């Protein structure tokens, strides 16, 4: 499911698919995306690259089209691959940078950038 909070410039995406379940937040105000993968008990954070990630209004339109048409082809589909590396637990300065929504999603979990 996807929830768009236009007033906060946030998109919440919840995937419920067994071992592949995850929650993802697109925080357009702070410019970061965070994905919490439940099978790994970890949070992966990446900077929003405007040339690759659709704008907030565009995400809503694409989601509506996909639901309406089911098999919509879009050149804006983005796949990410995370490689294991050094992790850290979030500190106050991290949460100021990433914002309260990502803090709420990732507090207490190892963070990977």
């Amino acid at each position: 499911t996807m929830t768009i909070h236009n007033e906060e410039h946030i998109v919440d995406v919840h995937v419920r698919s067994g071992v592949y379940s995850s929650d993802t937040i697109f925080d357009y105000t702070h410019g970061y995306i965070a994905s919490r993968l439940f099978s790994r008990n970890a949070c992966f954070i990446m900077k929003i690259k405007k040339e690759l990630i659709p704008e907030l209004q565009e995400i809503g339109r694409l989601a509506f089209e996909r639901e309406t048409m089911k098999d919509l082809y879009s050149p804006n589909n983005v796949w990410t691959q995370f490689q294991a590396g050094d992790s850290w637990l979030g500190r106050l300065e991290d949460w100021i940078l990433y914002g309260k929504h990502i803090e709420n999603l990732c507090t207490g979990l190892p963070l990977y950038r």
Side-chain angles (χ1 to χ4, degrees):
T1 61
M2 177 186 292
T3 306
I4 299 173
H5 305 277
N6 285 312
E7 67 285 349
E8 296 183 57
H9 305 292
I10 297 290
V11 177
D12 289 319
V13 180
H14 307 283
V15 176
R16 298 296 176 255
S17 182
V19 71
Y20 301 108
S21 294
S22 66
D23 284 343
T24 299
I25 291 181
F26 292 72
D27 186 331
Y28 285 91
T29 299
H30 291 90
Y32 286 92
I33 300 169
S35 291
R36 178 180 180 175
L37 305 178
F38 294 109
S39 64
R40 296 213 172 186
N41 199 31
C43 239
F44 296 89
I45 298 174
M46 64 183 264
K47 185 92 172 127
I48 291 176
K49 293 185 177 180
K50 293 181 188 235
E51 65 274 7
L52 298 176
I53 305 298
E55 293 290 330
L56 181 65
Q57 298 79 9
E58 183 74 3
I59 281 186
R61 186 186 65 74
L62 290 171
F64 176 77
E65 287 177 0
R66 185 169 189 97
E67 182 63 28
T68 303
M69 298 172 63
K70 295 293 183 197
D71 292 318
L72 172 74
Y73 167 76
S74 172
N76 294 325
N77 289 340
V78 176
W79 293 94
T80 59
Q81 179 178 351
F82 294 102
Q83 296 177 338
D86 295 331
S87 68
W88 76 101
L89 290 175
R91 301 175 311 269
L92 178 61
E93 56 268 19
D94 294 320
W95 303 135
I96 291 170
L97 177 65
Y98 299 134
K100 67 178 179 169
H101 297 282
I102 292 176
E103 177 183 9
N104 291 340
L105 179 70
C106 298
T107 294
L109 297 173
L111 305 179
Y112 295 88
R113 194 179 345 227

